[in-house]
Amino acid sequence: MTTQGELDDQLEAAVQVLKIAERVCVLTGAGVSAESGVPTFRDSNGLWEGHRVEDVASPEGFERNPALVWKFYNARRENASRVTPNPGHYALAEMEKRWGDRFTLVTQNVDGLHLEAGSENVLEIHGSLRHTRCLGCGVVTNRGVEPLGDAPQCPQCHGRLRPDIVWFGEGLPDGIWSAAMQAAYECHVLLVVGTSAVVYPAASLIPIAKRGAVTPAKVIEVNMTRTDASDNADIGLYGPSGVILPKLVERLK
Ligand code: APR
């Protein structure tokens, strides 16, 4: 448990490293959206809304039962239409203004809330609930959160559509992942927010930042609890990101 005094000291330390950082990279996970009402993953016993993860979030599951997978994703899409960004998302959008294109936000989240909050330089390394990908022609389309039924077809080639989400056992989209690695390697501060840091390769951005292009980056962790990232963190801000991040932004002014 962090006392208020310890949190204040860590906030001050975070402000000091951020003030001299030329490049900043942020890695976010499900925790940043928890206060918006989006459930996190690892507190659900391997079940996602009652379904086994491998049934609804793997290429094999999609081959076996595409209708079930679409039912699951349509429900998540509908949920995404009902949630809104929280003060943590807005604080990160505000931070970006200080560094402009020297600030990169890498997110594992597929809910689109960072973009909705106004963040611009966002890399959605696990895809987006709003995007579909055609298994025929490969075209990725932003379909927003409109209902898509349980066997949607490509409007161009009538091929089968799948959610444009990175599932278990799949690689990350090349260009987006390379950009994320570059941003982590070149940053002076890596802010790791609301992730258990157990899913790879996303979590490898932490050691990549620590290796550093010029100097090892300072790693700041923002989370409710210590995680697999904590041993690599120089500064730990433990509490809800919707409370901590606005405090950080306020002190950076
Ligand atoms: N503020 C900050 N952190 C929080 C909050 C909060 N309000 N609520 C929860 N957390 C933290 C938890 O302590 C936990 O460390 O958020 C983290 C959520 O961890 P996970 O559920 O494992 O989510 P994430 O790290 O994003 O998972 C990574 O796993 O299943 C895949 O593709 C999926 O992108 C996802 C990836």
Side-chain angles (χ1 to χ4, degrees):
M1 173 99 182
T2 315
T3 65
Q4 188 58 48
E6 282 164 352
L7 181 60
D8 280 340
D9 290 350
Q10 293 288 291
L11 273 168
E12 195 46 43
V15 167
Q16 292 313 319
V17 295
L18 280 164
K19 275 193 170 156
I20 55 170
E22 282 167 34
R23 287 182 180 275
V24 174
C25 181
V26 184
L27 171 65
T28 68
V32 78
S33 294
E35 289 153 80
S36 295
V38 181
T40 58
F41 295 99
R42 300 220 142 60
D43 47 15
S44 57
N45 269 337
L47 290 178
W48 285 5
E49 287 154 35
H51 299 293
R52 292 187 317 153
V53 171
E54 49 277 37
D55 286 341
V56 290
S58 74
E60 297 78 20
F62 187 64
E63 275 316 304
R64 266 198 308 272
N65 193 345
L68 172 73
V69 173
W70 268 114
K71 197 165 165 278
F72 173 76
Y73 278 96
N74 282 330
R76 290 185 74 190
R77 289 158 59 79
E78 202 194 328
N79 189 41
S81 71
R82 279 188 265 113
V83 296
T84 50
N86 68 59
H89 295 107
Y90 288 116
L92 290 171
E94 184 66 30
M95 274 178 89
E96 182 174 359
K97 292 184 190 149
R98 182 181 178 115
W99 285 275
D101 60 8
R102 291 174 291 112
F103 183 99
T104 307
L105 198 165
V106 180
T107 187
Q108 299 166 87
N109 300 344
V110 295
D111 55 32
L113 290 178
H114 287 302
L115 291 166
E116 206 177 318
S119 286
E120 289 181 9
N121 199 7
V122 178
L123 300 171
E124 294 178 309
I125 57 173
H126 289 170
S128 168
L129 279 176
R130 289 168 168 73
H131 293 171
T132 59
R133 184 160 84 242
C134 176
L135 292 172
C137 66
V139 163
V140 173
T141 311
N142 186 339
R143 300 290 295 266
V145 287
E146 66 177 284
L148 292 173
D150 58 12
Q153 285 189 353
C154 175
Q156 272 90 35
C157 77
H158 303 293
R160 286 163 67 205
L161 293 179
R162 59 163 277 176
D164 191 36
I165 302 273
V166 178
W167 284 329
F168 288 93
E170 295 188 309
L172 270 48
D174 279 348
I176 293 176
W177 177 239
S178 314
M181 284 194 296
Q182 189 178 348
Y185 189 52
E186 291 179 348
C187 73
H188 300 104
V189 171
L190 175 69
L191 197 55
V192 181
V193 185
T195 177
S196 55
V198 294
V199 170
Y200 284 80
S204 66
L205 294 178
I206 300 161
I208 288 172
K210 279 282 186 190
R211 266 200 304 280
V214 187
T215 62
K218 294 286 185 201
V219 173
I220 304 173
E221 175 169 57
V222 179
N223 202 301
M224 292 299 288
T225 59
R226 286 179 64 84
T227 68
D228 277 27
S230 305
D231 285 348
N232 267 320
D234 300 281
I235 297 167
L237 303 172
Y238 296 107
S241 49
V243 174
I244 302 273
L245 292 172
K247 281 190 199 238
L248 195 55
V249 168
E250 188 54 37
R251 289 183 184 221
L252 270 171
K253 281 183 185 155

